[in-house]
Amino acid sequence: MRHKRSIPNRSFRVADQIQRDVAELIRDLKDPRIGMVTISAVDITPDYAHARIRFSVLTGEVSETEVALNEAAGFLRNGLFKRLQIHTVPTLHFHFDRTTERAAELSALITLANSQRVPDDAPVDAAVDGEPKDDASQ
């Protein structure tokens, strides 16, 4: 039996659909450990067996939220099974996405570096080519 030709970008489209559906399903969870969660990305294995779901949290404890989401993964997978029209619904694995934290740290470092930088319009005391600068010769 010949294999069907793969559809271009299908895994990206499936990952996007999983991201949208999981975000909707999380709203229905009644677990108090799960605060305001944002699904930032979904990575799927080529065989659609596993999906790594990266999330960020606005309110609540990160470790408790991660544990709660991984405990609710079976419920969420069941909800995906009812919504998706694919043969294999992946097992869900939730991981905290530290991208926003890193972005804030880098932004703070850039702000600090810019505050210590010499302004462009500051007078230059150094001589050019070893000769003192004379305002009258300009």
Side-chain angles (χ1 to χ4, degrees):
M1 184 169 125
R2 292 172 68 181
H3 293 288
K4 292 182 181 179
R5 295 172 70 201
S6 64
I7 301 170
N9 299 324
R10 183 171 189 258
S11 62
F12 295 120
R13 289 186 288 127
V14 170
D16 287 342
Q17 187 62 45
I18 289 174
Q19 182 176 353
R20 286 189 295 269
D21 289 343
V22 167
E24 288 179 19
L25 289 168
I26 285 176
R27 291 185 207 141
D28 298 335
L29 295 176
K30 303 289 189 240
D31 195 330
R33 297 175 292 178
I34 300 173
M36 297 179 70
V37 175
T38 302
I39 304 298
S40 55
V42 175
D43 299 320
I44 291 187
T45 58
D47 61 352
Y48 300 109
H50 299 277
R52 180 180 181 150
I53 300 175
R54 291 182 292 209
F55 69 94
S56 60
V57 179
L58 292 174
T59 60
E61 180 65 32
V62 173
S63 60
E64 289 180 6
T65 302
E66 187 170 0
V67 168
L69 286 172
N70 281 313
E71 288 176 359
F75 172 78
L76 295 171
R77 184 174 187 245
N78 188 30
L80 280 177
F81 182 76
K82 294 174 184 175
R83 291 173 177 232
L84 294 177
Q85 301 297 321
I86 60 175
H87 185 270
T88 304
V89 176
T91 303
L92 307 177
H93 307 279
F94 289 90
H95 300 279
F96 179 65
D97 188 11
R98 289 180 166 62
T99 304
T100 53
E101 289 178 356
R102 289 187 194 136
E105 290 171 2
L106 286 175
S107 179
L109 286 173
I110 290 170
T111 303
L112 177 65
N114 283 336
S115 68
Q116 295 174 352
R117 189 173 148 192
V118 177
D120 291 336
D121 59 349
V124 179
D125 294 338
V128 179
D129 294 328
E131 297 178 14
K133 189 174 184 181
D134 186 5
D135 291 333
S137 64
Q138 291 182 358

